[in-house]
Amino acid sequence: MEKSQGTANEVKPELRELAQGQLYKTPPGEQKPQEYYDAIKRKFAEERDLRLKYKPAGTKEYIYELEGNLARYEVDPYAPQPAPRAALTDTVEVLFIGGGFSALLASAKLREYGVESIRIVERGADVGGTWYWNRYPGIACDVVSYDYLPLLDEMNYVPRDHYAKGNEIFEHCQAIAKKYDLYGLAVFQTTVTSTVWNNIEQLWVVKTDRGDTMKARFVVCANGPMSKPKLARIDGIEDYKGHSFHTGRWDYAYTKQDLSGLQDKVVGIIGTGATAVQAIPKLGAACKELYVFQRTPSSIDFRDDWPTDPNWARKLKPGWQAKRRERTLLATQETDEQKAKKATLTPEEKIRKQENANIDAMMRIHRRIEKEVKDPATAEALKPWYMLMCKRPCFHEDYLATFNRPNVHLVDTHGKGIHRITEKGPEFEGKVYEVDVLIYATGFDVQKTGIYNQIVGANGLEINDKYKGGIRTMFGIHSHGYPNMFIMAGYQASFQFNLTDMLYAQGEHIAACIDYTRKHGYAALEVTPDAEDWWVQEVINFRGKTDRNKECTPGYYNFEGEDNRRQDGTYNGGFYRYVEHTKEAQAAMEKYFKFENRKN
Ligand code: NDP
């Protein structure tokens, strides 16, 4: 039977339902008595408490600043050391800090408005962001490629598979940068060290680690929500004598491209998040022995991949991807029927219904594990005990079966995690696991450090100081006191499972703001304090509706279980409403922004 390539409505409808807060539907007749669900909820709470008991408080369990000997975990293994170059002191119209999808999408839109002078300043040696740095074996995107890869209409490109692999996405980024002529002014292997507003010149002064002092009329913080690798805080991490690296800096010089370098090696991998889930099947097939150190199992759902049908691709009409995006946007809005159905339930009934359906979905994931993993003890250890979406859901066909391989060993730390590494390898409950190479799949610093890097606004205030009392933005994009500055993929925006959906909306909004400012001959635009207050309150109102975060097992979705101010997170009012609000602001710029005339 010919596979459907999926429309935005067909593809992973369960994710769309999750976005709408409906969660998975339980087939009629499969509902269990309420005591069954209550017992599972109690088990979820026990498992969460177990983890909270073992962990150092919240986010402190990780090392974010990789300094001294640990700095090597951040070194770029994909490019030679940069050649010396003269420091830049020129002025550009728009400067992007970061060269991933945020910058590429917003730039494409700016080009449509005729903005010529665009500079990307990027730490890596090319554009691509996440897809530049993450090249681990098995890397692919869990969002359907026809939705995730941006600008497919504009690029006249149809992805090769239903789920794009990392290298295809990286190449797509490079192709976008070429098409929109973004390489010309770009500077790579360059890290921005400070971004300071000059009130007299009405320009941003951007300094870098290469000695540059560039100026820009507009600055876009496009440095990604998860761009800095982090390590678990483990005693003895520096004592380990074997080879080690982070998944975000895969050492192919050691493993070889086809992983043949691991044939005779005992490999350890710490972490079982979305990255590890994709890398472990490849490692299991390639190395002599593999030890997987697990603290909390991921939920592993089905992932139906297939090569794009060329007949389907040929029939696509111009504008096909824009239509998919429109359908996706509409699908995030509740239908009248859904609203009417919900209105018949009390708030408690609504929550119970959602939770029960969520538990049913999680139990389906448990049943899959029992079916696919032969050793019952391993199967038990791989079962996640938390509500679906408490942690990033994972999708894989081979991950679970990899644990049936005789050379693959799950070291389940029952929520404790690895807290000691000896010179030979990780130690758990008195046993040292001797490994030749240790791979840290311990994730990335979420949001803060990456984005807010010595940004000093019109009032001389560093943005972290402004945020000490809580994050304050409009749409997660504008912050009062920081004229002509825009933040992409930061907090207080409406996060989507498909991040590029949100980046489109933000890119379009930013380009519209810049275009308006330029067309009207203004020097600067700045969100008004009232508009900022309004948005912060919107964020708080929508985040106040649920305790789900607190009830979840710790992870980066809930700040590792740390108590967090309600405004320091994402906007939960729904993507449709978010986009509508940005459009309203674009249609009434003078209401939301203060514009400054040129001083000279
Ligand atoms: P995560 O932060 O999701 O995972 C880190 C892992 O390290 C967790 O399993 C964590 O356990 C574990 N860990 C931390 N400390 C210890 C310790 N002391 N001992 C044992 N284990 C430990 O990072 P990932 O790199 O996996 O994923 C980051 C994000 O990148 C994803 O969530 C996703 O958004 C994105 N990604 C996207 C993909 C895509 O398809 N689009 C593919 C891959 C990644 P615990 O769970 O207990 O905290």
Side-chain angles (χ1 to χ4, degrees), residues 149-339:
L149 262 69
L151 302 166
L152 294 179
D153 292 323
E154 292 80 351
M155 301 294 295
N156 195 19
Y157 183 69
V158 181
R160 295 197 281 269
D161 298 294
H162 191 215
Y163 291 103
K165 313 298 170 281
N167 60 343
E168 183 183 16
I169 306 175
F170 179 34
E171 283 162 18
H172 187 64
C173 292
Q174 293 171 311
I176 293 171
K178 271 190 205 119
K179 178 179 165 85
Y180 291 96
D181 197 13
L182 298 172
Y183 279 114
L185 277 181
V187 277
F188 295 108
Q189 298 184 292
T190 302
T191 300
V192 171
T193 51
S194 71
T195 309
V196 179
W197 178 252
N198 180 320
N199 266 323
I200 296 160
E201 289 190 87
Q202 294 166 298
L203 294 171
W204 285 100
V205 180
V206 179
K207 295 199 174 179
T208 75
D209 64 347
R210 305 288 299 274
D212 307 307
T213 305
M214 318 166 194
K215 290 178 184 167
R217 182 149 307 279
F218 301 93
V219 162
V220 186
C221 300
N223 33 355
M226 297 178 89
S227 52
K228 257 173 93 48
K230 64 178 162 53
L231 293 174
R233 205 172 282 287
I234 303 178
D235 289 342
I237 207 165
E238 293 185 48
D239 299 339
Y240 177 59
K241 295 268 190 295
H243 196 72
S244 62
F245 54 87
H246 188 279
T247 52
R249 304 284 186 274
W250 195 271
D251 189 353
Y252 280 107
Y254 181 88
T255 68
K256 305 281 180 284
Q257 201 62 36
D258 60 359
L259 303 189
S260 59
L262 298 178
Q263 225 170 17
D264 58 347
K265 298 283 187 285
V266 181
V267 179
I269 183 163
I270 297 184
T272 50
T275 299
V277 164
Q278 292 185 333
I280 283 167
K282 299 281 180 197
L283 288 171
C287 65
K288 189 171 131 203
E289 301 283 334
L290 177 66
Y291 288 93
V292 177
F293 298 96
Q294 171 183 275
R295 184 166 63 188
T296 310
S298 282
S299 63
I300 314 292
D301 217 326
F302 288 97
R303 187 172 191 275
D304 207 4
D305 197 9
W306 61 77
T308 299
D309 176 356
N311 291 325
W312 172 81
R314 251 193 308 276
K315 284 187 218 141
L316 289 170
K317 305 228 164 55
W320 65 274
Q321 196 194 32
K323 286 212 182 85
R324 279 177 82 99
R325 272 209 326 278
E326 237 167 76
R327 283 199 297 265
T328 304
L329 182 63
L330 289 174
T332 63
Q333 205 191 15
E334 267 183 333
T335 62
D336 290 343
E337 199 191 332
Q338 283 164 343
K339 278 185 203 153

Side-chain angles (χ1 to χ4, degrees), residues 66-116:
L66 302 182
E67 290 159 344
N69 282 341
L70 299 182
R72 67 193 171 88
Y73 289 103
E74 239 185 322
V75 171
D76 184 351
Y78 316 120
Q81 282 294 306
R85 64 163 173 79
L88 290 165
T89 54
D90 56 350
T91 303
V92 296
E93 184 82 6
V94 184
L95 184 145
F96 285 90
I97 305 176
F101 274 144
S102 297
L104 299 174
L105 267 162
S107 297
K109 203 68 203 168
L110 285 167
R111 290 289 196 228
E112 277 178 32
Y113 284 120
V115 178
E116 284 173 6

Side-chain angles (χ1 to χ4, degrees), residues 584-597:
E584 279 156 23
Q586 288 161 40
M589 291 281 193
E590 311 271 344
K591 181 177 154 200
Y592 292 81
F593 300 100
K594 184 185 95 189
F595 289 91
E596 257 193 64
N597 289 314

Side-chain angles (χ1 to χ4, degrees), residues 28-99:
E30 275 196 24
Q31 279 99 343
K32 314 275 187 317
Q34 191 54 41
E35 300 79 61
Y36 161 87
Y37 296 109
D38 292 344
I40 293 176
K41 257 196 95 177
R42 279 197 297 278
K43 167 92 171 151
F44 285 178
E46 280 164 23
E47 289 280 331
R48 175 207 57 211
D49 291 346
L50 188 76
R51 280 165 178 76
L52 287 174
K53 186 178 90 190
Y54 293 136
K55 282 157 73 90
T59 47
K60 291 190 186 64
E61 59 157 330
Y62 285 104
I63 307 172
Y64 300 97
E65 292 309 323
L66 302 182
E67 290 159 344
N69 282 341
L70 299 182
R72 67 193 171 88
Y73 289 103
E74 239 185 322
V75 171
D76 184 351
Y78 316 120
Q81 282 294 306
R85 64 163 173 79
L88 290 165
T89 54
D90 56 350
T91 303
V92 296
E93 184 82 6
V94 184
L95 184 145
F96 285 90
I97 305 176

